[in-house]
Amino acid sequence: MANSIFLVTSVAVTSVLALLPAHASRLTLDTALQTVISENPDLKASRADVEVARGRLLQAGLWPNPRLELMHQTDKPFRNEGDYSRSAGLRQDFPIGGRIGRQKDVARVDVALALAELNDAERKLIGEVEGAYYGLSSIDREIALVDRLTTSVAGLVTAIEARHRLGEASTLDANTVSLERQRLEQQRTLLETERSTKLSELAAALGLASSENLVIEAAPPSPKQPAALASLEDFALEHRPDLQQLELSVDRAKAERALASAAAWEDWSIGVGVQENRTVLEQVPAQPRDSALLLSLSVPLPIFDRNQGTRAAARASELAARDRLNGLALRIRNEVAARHPDTVRLAQTAQSLQEQALPLSVRNLEQARDAYRQGQINIGDVIQIERQAFDINMSYEETLTRYFNAFAALETAIFSRVDLATHFATPAISKHGSARGH
């Protein structure tokens, strides 16, 4: 069972990457998320912690070992009259009050707690990878935008050279275009530096040794409106692992209290054995050997120590966990409620820029270029309109970046990628706990 308790996507991810050329690792968002779940070292360590908890569950259900008791008594070192007594037997401790069952309840909750902790780490890491991926996609689009403007400026150089031959353009026009090209080259260098840093961070999260030749495959995404706020809040409260952790903390406190009550009666000890002895008396004929069956029972009485302190501590832990649970549920609602309107507004702004400002800037730029070729405006006016179009495009890209950052934060807040999380077949908790299976 332990070998089949969970499924990871490492085989699928490895198969996908194996099909790629050796000189490049191309990642879609889905492949990146699958890779981080299966390959991230911290998550691997957390999965090992779940196995540790499962080992403790196995140990919690074991009975104490029986004890072999041997005894031999003789007077040989002293008077050596032939007196002796020997016995052999077995002694077994018997748990009373369901202690082992209650120990297993606590251990089961610990397994579920370890899994919930793993899932919460996965939730946060998925959010980080989504944010990094969207950020890299945005940088790639900004670099492409700079390249397009650089190509456009190169076209202006050709136009200036043609007009210069006709005596219609000055050296000042050429210098203006040259400075604009240098500005674009500097901006591209800064973007490449930022991209390299983010790629290294993403590679580390994915468990890759290097970000060299790591290529992000992403078509320009289109912003979309999130679902209704109420449905997102309900989804978050149902699936957030940190909330499940606190629910399980309540269950654990209940299970500990039940264990403390069961452990108030310590184990009864039952022994069974045989005894043989011989007694030699002076001036009495030799006596035959006596044999006997030995039975013993030891019952600890819970008079002074009835685990009162442990039970009181468990009750206090349960109350504290319930208070933390209520507080976290409120914070989750507030977090989702804060992320939702930001995502809605940024989606609307991006859509407005895409449908209105961007097409207008393209038309305006085309008209300015035609006017310059006809000698109606100077090169400075064209450069200014080029920059205006560039600024509008960059504003759109920045809006997209902010939108996807808000979108990723909202998805992290509700744990929308719960399907990627590790799912273990955790045992059900008895009536003393209510941990839900995952």
Side-chain angles (χ1 to χ4, degrees):
M1 290 178 60
N3 294 329
S4 60
I5 54 176
F6 69 96
L7 297 174
V8 296
T9 58
S10 58
V11 175
V13 173
T14 304
S15 301
V16 171
L17 295 180
L19 298 175
L20 300 175
H23 62 275
S25 297
R26 297 181 177 273
L27 289 177
T28 63
L29 178 57
D30 288 340
T31 303
L33 294 178
Q34 291 170 353
T35 302
V36 75
I37 290 298
S38 62
E39 300 300 327
N40 183 267
D42 293 332
L43 294 184
K44 289 182 178 180
S46 294
R47 289 191 185 94
D49 290 338
V50 177
E51 289 303 314
V52 170
R54 292 184 67 86
R56 290 172 179 163
L57 170 60
L58 176 63
Q59 185 64 35
L62 301 180
W63 275 49
N65 292 321
R67 297 189 298 276
L68 175 63
E69 296 182 337
L70 301 174
M71 188 272 289
H72 179 72
Q73 178 180 334
T74 179
D75 68 344
K76 283 184 178 181
F78 304 102
R79 299 183 65 178
N80 195 19
E81 295 178 342
D83 287 353
Y84 71 86
S85 176
R86 62 174 69 101
S87 65
L90 290 175
R91 181 169 295 278
Q92 175 69 52
D93 292 339
F94 287 87
I96 300 300
R99 176 180 61 81
I100 287 184
R102 304 295 77 78
Q103 285 179 176
K104 291 177 67 176
D105 287 343
V106 174
R108 285 191 185 99
V109 180
D110 286 341
V111 173
L113 275 168
L115 175 60
E117 184 175 353
L118 166 62
N119 289 160
D120 198 46
E122 290 172 331
R123 176 184 71 89
K124 294 175 181 177
L125 197 54
I126 286 172
E128 292 175 9
V129 171
E130 274 191 309
Y133 192 94
Y134 289 138
L136 283 167
S137 176
S138 175
I139 291 175
D140 285 344
R141 293 194 303 273
E142 290 178 10
I143 290 175
L145 180 60
V146 171
D147 290 343
R148 289 199 302 271
L149 184 56
T150 301
T151 301
S152 176
V153 170
L156 287 177
V157 171
T158 302
I160 288 174
E161 290 175 349
R163 292 189 64 186
H164 184 71
R165 287 192 295 269
L166 299 174
E168 297 176 353
S170 65
T171 305
L172 180 61
D173 292 342
N175 290 340
T176 301
V177 175
S178 177
L179 289 172
E180 181 65 12
R181 174 180 282 183
Q182 292 179 29
R183 184 186 71 84
L184 293 173
E185 290 175 352
Q186 293 174 357
Q187 187 160 2
R188 195 183 199 284
T189 300
L190 292 175
L191 289 172
E192 286 286 358
T193 301
E194 184 179 359
R195 185 180 190 278
S196 177
T197 301
K198 288 188 176 294
L199 267 179
S200 297
E201 294 173 354
L202 180 59
L206 296 177
L208 302 178
S210 172
S211 62
E212 184 178 358
N213 296 325
L214 183 63
V215 179
I216 301 299
E217 289 188 347
S222 299
K224 60 181 181 180
Q225 294 289 348
L229 176 59
S231 64
L232 294 182
E233 288 179 346
D234 292 341
F235 189 92
L237 293 176
E238 182 179 356
H239 294 97
R240 279 280 292 258
D242 49 348
L243 192 66
Q244 293 174 359
Q245 280 182 274
L246 290 180
E247 292 174 347
L248 290 167
S249 295
V250 175
D251 290 345
R252 194 182 195 284
K254 291 179 180 178
E256 283 186 330
R257 188 157 46 127
L259 173 60
S261 297
W265 281 93
E266 297 180 40
D267 295 353
W268 289 14
S269 180
I270 297 178
V272 59
V274 293
Q275 182 181 29
E276 179 184 276
N277 60 60
R278 181 180 180 184
T279 302
V280 177
L281 301 175
E282 294 181 358
Q283 300 179 355
V284 175
Q287 300 296 312
R289 292 175 296 180
D290 291 332
S291 298
L293 175 67
L294 299 177
L295 295 175
S296 65
L297 172 65
S298 176
V299 180
L301 300 177
I303 297 176
F304 305 110
D305 181 2
R306 297 188 298 276
N307 276 345
Q308 302 96 316
T310 304
R311 284 184 286 177
R315 281 193 295 270
S317 296
E318 180 182 349
L319 293 175
R322 289 188 183 279
D323 289 338
R324 293 190 187 98
L325 176 64
N326 294 333
L328 180 58
L330 180 60
R331 289 195 298 274
I332 288 175
R333 286 187 178 276
N334 291 340
E335 182 182 1
V336 175
R339 305 285 188 192
H340 187 270
D342 291 343
T343 308
V344 171
R345 284 193 296 267
L346 288 167
Q348 293 172 344
T349 302
Q351 183 178 3
S352 176
L353 286 170
Q354 185 180 29
E355 295 176 354
Q356 300 177 20
L358 290 180
L360 180 59
S361 68
V362 171
R363 292 195 300 269
N364 198 33
L365 182 56
E366 291 174 350
Q367 292 172 2
R369 289 171 180 169
D370 291 340
Y372 176 73
R373 294 189 187 97
Q374 297 171 14
Q376 296 176 356
I377 59 176
N378 59 41
I379 191 63
D381 294 333
V382 178
I383 293 295
Q384 182 178 357
I385 295 174
E386 289 267 10
R387 287 185 179 178
Q388 183 184 55
F390 177 78
D391 289 342
I392 291 174
N393 277 271
M394 288 297 290
S395 177
Y396 174 68
E397 294 300 336
E398 290 173 1
T399 301
L400 277 184
T401 300
R402 292 183 180 182
Y403 164 76
F404 281 107
N405 284 338
F407 180 74
L410 180 60
E411 287 207 319
T412 302
I414 66 172
F415 199 20
S416 66
R417 299 275 185 168
V418 65
D419 57 302
L420 294 177
T422 302
H423 292 261
F424 285 73
T426 52
I429 302 302
S430 76
K431 63 182 180 179
H432 298 284
S434 59
R436 295 175 292 185
H438 294 263

